[in-house]
Amino acid sequence: MQQHLQILINLLQKNNLKALLQHYLDSSQTENTAQLAFMFQQGEIKPANFDYYQQLATSFIETKGLSHSLIAKIKTSSTLSFFTPALQIGDNFKKIDHQQRNVLHYLFTNNKVPSIRSQPPFNYLRSMMLFGSNDALRNGLCQRDEQNLTPIESYLFTNRNLTPLATHELTALLALIEIERKQQAVENVNYTQFIQTINALCKEQAVLANNELQRVILIATYYSVSTEQVFNDINSIK
């Protein structure tokens, strides 16, 4: 085990909060990410201690700031749940890494083994927007990465899980699309540029890209075109 983690564990066992914070401040960004990951894992393993580790991680991030390397690690519903209090501090939902991606980009493109369990937590995020002041979260929905993709476009074109979303998640995604649309215009150039990506994805997974495929319907909804057009454009690529 790396020394910085062993020191963290020793301080946790002593419940020395002042020394824990100082150790975190003295550690590098890479070490901080590993330390936060350890606390997340402990919260998952020992649910009775979840709040303790969550509050500790939140206080660390509040004091030192959200590290760029942590952004790409928040990819699942469980990691989002653990780090939500920290992300709601200041503009953390808008913080970006070296690829100009924020947390939402990674949440929407997490490519685990295709299953319903690995789908993005659209409903959780929509609820956060509805029941709290989350301007940074709302603005993060509109940010574009180095490929000029918003988080929703990242889902549409690069999320490899073509399993249909559950009804409540689908409804939530449609609501998020509407929220984004009210803030900024859709860049139609992305439709043409990335339609070949979804074509390749369907071929790779032997999925028929017809106008009943949920991803086709969502692309049509996002760009305000017919499902027939999306279907034809995808299948026109040889």
Side-chain angles (χ1 to χ4, degrees):
M1 178 178 290
Q2 295 178 317
Q3 185 179 14
H4 72 91
L5 283 178
Q6 189 59 62
I7 293 173
L8 177 77
I9 293 170
N10 291 339
L11 293 173
L12 283 169
Q13 290 172 342
K14 296 175 182 177
N15 197 30
N16 190 333
L17 299 182
K18 184 177 180 179
L20 275 167
L21 176 59
Q22 191 59 53
H23 174 59
Y24 185 83
L25 292 172
D26 292 340
S27 299
S28 68
Q29 186 177 120
T30 301
E31 290 171 342
N32 287 160
T33 300
Q35 290 158 2
L36 292 168
F38 175 81
M39 287 185 279
F40 163 73
Q41 291 165 359
Q42 292 304 300
E44 289 283 287
I45 294 170
K46 304 173 182 177
N49 294 332
F50 180 91
D51 288 345
Y52 171 76
Y53 286 110
Q54 184 185 59
Q55 290 170 14
L56 195 60
T58 302
S59 68
F60 287 174
I61 293 171
E62 184 173 22
T63 302
K64 193 173 182 177
L66 182 72
S67 67
H68 292 166
S69 59
L70 180 64
I71 292 172
K73 302 296 184 182
I74 304 175
K75 297 181 178 181
T76 63
S77 296
S78 55
T79 51
L80 175 61
S81 176
F82 183 82
F83 289 107
T84 287
L87 291 170
Q88 290 180 308
I89 296 170
D91 291 330
N92 282 343
F93 267 112
K94 291 173 54 182
K95 293 283 178 65
I96 57 175
D97 65 3
H98 65 286
Q99 298 185 78
Q100 297 180 36
R101 291 180 174 178
N102 60 39
V103 168
L104 299 180
H105 283 99
Y106 288 103
L107 281 167
F108 291 3
T109 58
N110 181 27
N111 290 317
K112 286 191 168 185
V113 177
S115 74
I116 196 66
R117 294 182 61 189
S118 68
Q119 294 286 19
F122 295 123
N123 193 51
Y124 182 93
L125 291 164
R126 183 190 61 167
S127 297
M128 288 179 63
M129 290 185 186
L130 289 175
F131 302 109
S133 177
N134 286 287
D135 290 340
L137 175 55
R138 213 171 263 106
N139 292 335
L141 200 63
C142 296
Q143 286 179 300
R144 297 185 178 279
D145 64 13
E146 63 183 10
Q147 291 185 290
N148 197 38
L149 293 177
T150 67
I152 290 175
E153 286 179 306
S154 294
Y155 170 75
L156 295 176
F157 293 115
T158 66
N159 190 301
R160 301 173 61 80
N161 190 349
L162 294 175
T163 306
L165 293 167
T167 301
H168 67 287
E169 295 290 359
L170 174 61
T171 301
L173 174 55
L174 294 173
L176 294 177
I177 289 174
E178 186 60 28
I179 290 170
E180 182 188 329
R181 184 175 290 154
K182 287 180 178 179
Q183 296 186 90
Q184 67 182 9
V186 170
E187 290 198 12
N188 290 316
V189 65
N190 286 351
Y191 172 84
T192 302
Q193 184 178 356
F194 287 97
I195 203 72
Q196 58 186 355
T197 304
I198 196 69
N199 170 276
L201 186 59
C202 288
K203 286 182 177 179
E204 180 184 311
Q205 298 188 24
V207 173
L208 182 62
N210 59 29
N211 54 13
E212 294 183 359
L213 182 66
Q214 190 182 85
R215 190 69 63 86
V216 167
I217 296 171
L218 286 168
I219 291 172
T221 300
Y222 186 85
Y223 289 100
S224 299
V225 298
S226 68
T227 55
E228 196 68 29
Q229 178 180 333
V230 179
F231 163 67
N232 289 336
D233 288 343
I234 290 174
N235 288 285
S236 68
I237 300 173
K238 304 302 181 183

